[in-house]
Amino acid sequence: KIAAPIWVDGSFTRQKDHPADIDVVADVSHLDQPTATPAIMLWINRVAVKHAYSVDFWIKHPFLPTDLTEFFRYAGTKAAAETGLDSKYLKGILRVLP
């Protein structure tokens, strides 16, 4: 069990016949190490997780340089090319609370 807010995004949010993957970010920034460990282990094993489930798993923590919850809030270059939107277009992202 991951006791952290989870942010979910991916190519399934666009009009694609065959979405490529799901992007998941667990916000462990406020958790102590024992509570954050399940999410950290998924992140460490993200290559195997991607291969098994087509899920790109990331964590949000102050020690990491990039906040992917912010990154996934924008359309980005792929979606912009597919939809005609600006890549900086602010879009929705699903947040699931523990």
Side-chain angles (χ1 to χ4, degrees):
K1 178 181 176 188
I2 298 175
I6 302 289
W7 300 85
V8 182
D9 190 39
S11 59
F12 70 91
T13 63
R14 300 191 306 274
Q15 295 180 357
K16 295 184 89 171
D17 291 334
H18 304 285
D21 62 4
I22 298 171
D23 301 304
V24 174
V25 181
D27 181 358
V28 299
S29 59
H30 64 287
L31 302 178
D32 60 22
Q33 185 187 355
T35 308
T37 296
I40 292 169
M41 293 307 297
L42 283 172
W43 178 64
I44 289 169
N45 294 299
R46 66 188 173 273
V47 173
V49 170
K50 171 73 174 198
H51 180 72
Y53 304 106
S54 296
V55 171
D56 284 316
F57 191 88
W58 305 97
I59 58 174
K60 175 183 176 178
H61 194 279
F63 295 133
L64 297 174
T66 304
D67 178 355
L68 290 176
T69 62
E70 290 298 317
F71 175 78
F72 290 132
R73 289 182 184 186
Y74 293 92
T77 54
K78 288 183 195 175
E82 292 172 8
T83 62
L85 297 171
D86 185 287
S87 64
K88 302 272 188 223
Y89 178 79
L90 190 60
K91 66 179 184 72
I93 182 172
L94 177 65
R95 181 177 180 220
V96 181
L97 298 176

